[in-house]
Amino acid sequence: MTVVAESPARPGADGPPGGGRRLVEMALRARELSILGALAVLVVGTTIANPRFLSGQGVKDIFLNASILVLLAVGQSMVVVTRNIDLSVGSVVGLVAFSAGRFAAGGDRNIVLVLLVGVAIGLVCGLVNGLLVSFCRVPALVVTLGTLYVIQGLDYRIAHGDQIGAAELPSAVLKLGTDGVLGVPYLPLITVVVMLAVGYYLRSYSSGREFYAIGSSPEAALLAGVPIRRRVLTAYLVSGALAGLAGVLWLARFGTVVADAAHGWELKVVSAVVVGGIAITGGVGTVYGAALGALLLTTIGSVLVVLKVDSFWQDAITGVLLLLAISVDRLLALRVTRALKQRSLESTVHREGRS
């Protein structure tokens, strides 16, 4: 799953402006609306069964729990859009949460400094992934699976069986996870700001659109002069930086951190991204859809807890949603292919009729 491997161009993403692209955008909007519809049905049904589900604290908990997953999904989106993947994000969160916790526990640290330390560690991890994938041309799946275990081992080595307790942390760190502005917690606010910034960049800047061009067809992007290696490296740097930020937010949210924090979250993140409409083959999707996918998965988890359903079903439902999303992406690609072929045929007939 690396951008330098030869593969056929994806139809639609770089197709005629009035043809496949519009069809893809309409389908993506339908996907996002369907997720919103599923969320509404889920919330209404659970509220009927348990009216306390929609209490002020219940809603607050859902958004707090979703914030970190949404943040990771935003970073993962940039990577997946380029037809790559980052399986190391969960390990990066764990490493940063413990390392930043140990750094913060050393004294009355400024919260901005703690955040910078966390982001810096994430950037280093993203840099390693990005260099190996983009410049060394190692498949992304192999690279990030390897760094997942390396970072995990490093985390256990640093932790050495210890844990960081809330009593050891400065009040500024704990307030980041508990306080807010006008009743809105800091964590969702930070996540929304990051999501809007990344979404705006990808949609409004030509360099942002190049990420989609790479995922749609690496060969066409190369011929068009897109700096593929730099863009892929940038995607991994963003993913790493946001995983680092998520690690600090994890520390602030939970206070107590052990070496296996966020263990297994990489699959949750990938599931949220794919369920949210980012095509696993790249070139299609938005960070807003990925955020909705993360919110849906988090809400499902909260609903199952409220209804006292076995946690096994959360993983089962996530798997079903993932398979469904991949199937929808495949059907969408086939539909776009047919639409483009039809438009091409009509255009050819029209030109021949005029000549």
Side-chain angles (χ1 to χ4, degrees):
M1 188 180 284
T2 179
V3 298
V4 295
E6 292 188 6
S7 57
R10 280 195 58 148
D14 288 325
R21 186 178 302 170
R22 270 210 304 264
L23 184 60
V24 171
E25 289 177 352
M26 288 172 59
L28 286 174
R29 282 197 293 269
R31 282 283 291 276
E32 292 169 4
L33 288 174
S34 67
I35 295 174
L36 282 173
L39 273 169
V41 170
L42 194 62
V43 169
V44 171
T46 308
T47 303
I48 293 173
N50 188 340
R52 288 179 298 177
F53 179 70
L54 263 191
S55 65
Q57 186 59 45
V59 173
K60 183 178 178 181
D61 286 341
I62 288 175
F63 282 108
L64 281 171
N65 293 335
S67 297
I68 296 174
L69 185 57
V70 170
L71 199 60
L72 293 172
V74 169
Q76 186 77 238
S77 296
M78 287 194 67
V79 176
V80 176
V81 157
T82 64
R83 204 182 287 193
N84 287 286
I85 198 167
D86 187 356
L87 295 178
S88 67
V89 288
S91 297
V92 174
V93 171
L95 175 65
V96 170
F98 196 90
S99 301
R102 178 162 287 180
F103 173 77
D108 191 16
R109 307 288 190 184
N110 185 287
I111 184 60
V112 175
L113 186 58
V114 176
L115 286 167
L116 289 176
V117 167
V119 172
I121 295 173
L123 277 172
V124 171
C125 296
L127 179 63
V128 172
N129 286 331
L131 288 175
L132 289 173
V133 172
S134 60
F135 287 90
C136 298
R137 303 189 178 187
V138 183
L141 185 65
V142 175
V143 169
T144 57
L145 187 61
T147 53
L148 181 157
Y149 289 114
V150 170
I151 295 169
Q152 226 172 56
L154 181 61
D155 191 14
Y156 279 107
R157 179 70 180 85
I158 293 173
H160 218 61
D162 294 336
Q163 69 174 28
I164 304 294
E168 304 174 61
L169 299 175
S171 59
V173 173
L174 297 175
K175 285 181 180 178
L176 180 64
T178 56
D179 289 359
V181 178
L182 300 177
V184 181
Y186 287 128
L187 267 63
L189 286 176
I190 293 171
T191 298
V192 168
V193 169
V194 171
M195 178 189 68
L196 293 176
V198 174
Y200 180 77
Y201 167 71
L202 289 176
R203 184 173 182 83
S204 303
Y205 286 83
S206 58
S207 57
R209 302 304 301 173
E210 287 174 355
F211 290 90
Y212 288 94
I214 293 168
S216 298
S217 174
E219 297 81 8
L222 185 63
L223 291 174
V226 175
I228 293 178
R229 292 180 178 179
R230 276 192 292 157
R231 292 291 176 260
V232 172
L233 176 59
T234 300
Y236 276 102
L237 286 173
V238 172
S239 179
L242 293 184
L245 176 59
V248 178
L249 298 186
W250 182 289
L251 173 69
R253 169 81 172 114
F254 299 106
T256 301
V257 178
V258 294
D260 63 347
H263 179 71
W265 268 51
E266 53 279 343
L267 298 181
K268 285 186 180 181
V269 175
V270 172
S271 298
V273 166
V274 175
V275 168
I278 306 284
I280 198 68
T281 49
V284 174
T286 67
V287 295
Y288 311 116
L292 285 174
L295 183 60
L296 176 62
L297 295 182
T298 304
T299 305
I300 289 172
S302 299
V303 166
L304 295 179
V305 171
V306 168
L307 298 180
K308 299 179 180 179
V309 178
D310 194 321
S311 59
F312 157 79
W313 289 106
Q314 182 177 357
D315 294 333
I317 292 171
T318 300
V320 170
L321 289 175
L322 184 59
L323 291 173
L324 182 61
I326 292 173
S327 301
V328 169
D329 286 337
R330 179 59 183 161
L331 290 173
L332 174 61
L334 292 173
R335 184 178 177 186
V336 171
T337 300
R338 287 197 298 267
L340 288 177
K341 285 182 178 178
Q342 181 65 30
R343 287 177 182 275
S344 178
L345 179 61
E346 291 173 356
S347 178
T348 302
V349 172
H350 181 66
R351 283 198 302 270
E352 290 176 351
R354 293 179 61 184
S355 59

